[in-house]
Amino acid sequence: MPKPSDRTAVLQRLPQYYRILRRFLQNGIYRCSSAEIAAQTEYSAVAVRKDLLRFSGCATKGYGYHVKPLYTMLGDYLGVRDAFRAVIVGDGMPQQLLCEHPLFAVHGIRLCGICSEHAPNPTTAPTHIRPDELVTFCRRERVSLLILLAPIDASLLTEAIAAGVCGVFSLCEDDTALREVAQQTSISYRTLHPMDDLISLCCEMKLAQGEPTESKKESFL
Amino acid sequence: MPKPSDRTAVLQRLPQYYRILRRFLQNGIYRCSSAEIAAQTEYSAVAVRKDLLRFSGCATKGYGYHVKPLYTMLGDYLGVRDAFRAVIVGDGMPQQLLCEHPLFAVHGIRLCGICSEHAPNPTTAPTHIRPDELVTFCRRERVSLLILLAPIDASLLTEAIAAGVCGVFSLCEDDTALREVAQQTSISYRTLHPMDDLISLCCEMKLAQGEPTESKKESFL
DNA sequence: TAGATTGTTAATCGATTAACAATC
DNA sequence: TAGATTGTTAATCGATTAACAATC
């Protein structure tokens, strides 16, 4: 059923639409056009319509999209209601940040534990898992998703995959081990490097300065 | 000098190469091939070579790239040595997270202050700025970059831009005001939604489950 | 009926890949 | 000279856009 194209550009945009629709619902907006969604993104209204073609059941020509059913169908399609069981691996600030993030409550990802050398703050954190217990825990608790805040050993990751893990979300500086293992095991994964985006922004700012606009040119007069 | 293509796909990849090269240097690797860089990414060696064509001075045919000068040139091109002056706007956990991030020490972004209702933890945080002081502060301290952890008022943002801000990096759930202002003022900006990537990963995991591989198919026998 | 809007098809554009030339 | 590797050109592929048909 899912077309191969679902794996690429479209799949990156659907979660954005999902978030935008949620905001619409929160603001009491129950009807919207493709143009209204597009205005909240970098894309065109035509692109939005194409992406949402799969959910045509929630659209009416001349009227637009019915936000409520569209939000539900989109969520189902994206798998947020599947309640994937997840473990955070690694110490550090982002750990607490992630634990408190509404995603885990709202979006059906069930945070089952935290795997780190040192036990985290017990008031906010779920079950603590020692690194040597990780594989056993994943198998017993049917964990399918690891969220990496620190690099994981290639062999440990391989064992975790054998124990049922099928997805990895990495926020690590160094993803070498993850890429290695992923090549051999066909798991799903994403690596995230927010600071790369910040640097790319800096570069754009720099280039923009080098190309003065009309008003800036005038200042040389 | 900069070609229009610099604004798009290439510019998103260059910061990745920059990070990978830094790791090479940290590991004492001073020579590398395009294939070795590509292995740390999702891209092909040919793509890497094309992207790095601008830095041909740091390459030798039959040998590869000279990591040290390439890292320096790439950093210069990306603007990380320009020491953009930045202010974090908004309360919350990511604030402390960002303050402690090595980026601000290592990559030449100078964090000048934090703008929020309540004063942050004074031990780790730089100057605290009250919201009504933001515009004055930006003008006086020549701030060019705002890092948004909470939505900013469209009019306040417009004033900040008039005061010299030319880039915005947003981690907010709702970017409506930012997009509005950006359309009229031609600032550079990036919006980041890590949870969108996590949801996209969930969807991929779900789709992968629906298409059993050979080994999984066997389990039905 | 007119206006608004989705859905569809063909054309365009940009990015990636493949093949190979150049050269250290 | 042979091997390794970058650099270049043309071909392919995928994604976006434009024009318009369909219909509520």
Side-chain angles (χ1 to χ4, degrees), chain A residues 50 103 149 164 194:
Chain A
K50 263 211 152 137
L103 177 88
L149 304 182

Side-chain angles (χ1 to χ4, degrees), chain A residues 23 54 86 89 96 202 207:
Chain A
R23 206 162 63 226
R54 167 188 304 276
V89 179
Q96 291 168 49
C202 285
L207 293 172

Side-chain angles (χ1 to χ4, degrees), chain A residues 62 115-116 131 172 177 182 188:
Chain A
C115 174
S116 59
C172 300
S188 303

Side-chain angles (χ1 to χ4, degrees), chain A:
Chain A
M1 193 77 69
K3 301 167 199 167
S5 61
D6 281 353
R7 302 306 165 83
T8 54
V10 184
L11 187 47
Q12 285 179 27
R13 290 194 291 262
L14 293 182
Q16 295 187 50
Y17 303 150
Y18 187 62
R19 177 167 42 80
I20 290 163
L21 291 170
R22 179 167 56 250
R23 206 162 63 226
F24 284 166
L25 284 178
Q26 282 165 356
N27 296 339
I29 297 168
Y30 295 102
R31 183 231 136 243
C32 73
S33 68
S34 55
E36 283 163 334
I37 297 175
Q40 303 283 331
T41 72
E42 303 290 303
Y43 320 116
S44 70
V46 183
V48 171
R49 286 206 295 279
K50 263 211 152 137
D51 291 344
L52 296 180
L53 223 51
R54 167 188 304 276
F55 310 100
S56 285
C58 306
T60 306
K61 289 179 184 180
Y63 173 87
Y65 295 96
H66 303 267
V67 179
K68 229 170 178 172
L70 180 57
Y71 180 74
T72 306
M73 279 188 72
L74 202 44
D76 282 343
Y77 180 76
L78 288 172
V80 295
R81 320 234 290 195
D82 285 28
F84 285 109
R85 302 172 70 83
V87 164
I88 293 178
V89 179
D91 274 312
M93 285 293 288
Q95 183 191 85
Q96 291 168 49
L97 180 67
L98 279 169
C99 292
E100 290 170 15
H101 197 284
L103 177 88
F104 295 112
V106 173
H107 300 98
I109 292 179
R110 207 175 309 168
L111 187 56
C112 299
I114 291 189
C115 174
S116 59
E117 293 289 340
H118 308 292
N121 180 348
T123 55
T124 56
T127 315
H128 176 245
I129 307 157
R130 289 202 320 269
D132 61 308
E133 298 169 334
L134 178 62
V135 175
T136 316
F137 184 89
C138 286
R139 184 173 286 114
R140 191 179 66 228
E141 299 290 331
R142 302 189 318 285
V143 171
S144 45
L145 174 64
L146 297 184
I147 298 169
L148 299 186
L149 304 182
I152 191 172
D153 201 58
S155 61
L156 182 57
L157 180 55
T158 307
E159 284 183 72
I161 291 166
V165 166
C166 60
V168 178
F169 189 77
S170 168
L171 295 157
C172 300
E173 178 83 3
D174 186 343
D175 306 309
T176 314
L178 173 56
R179 284 180 201 286
E180 234 172 76
V181 175
Q183 269 192 338
Q184 294 159 4
T185 52
S186 80
I187 50 163
S188 303
Y189 70 98
R190 293 280 187 286
T191 62
L192 209 73
H193 298 281
M195 287 305 162
D196 287 5
D197 294 285
L198 186 46
I199 290 177
S200 145
L201 173 63
C202 285
C203 185
E204 198 176 296
M205 288 165 66
K206 200 184 103 141
L207 293 172
Q209 285 176 353
E211 286 171 12
T213 56
E214 287 309 309
S215 58
K216 281 184 190 166
K217 270 181 193 158
E218 284 168 17
S219 65
F220 288 109
L221 300 175

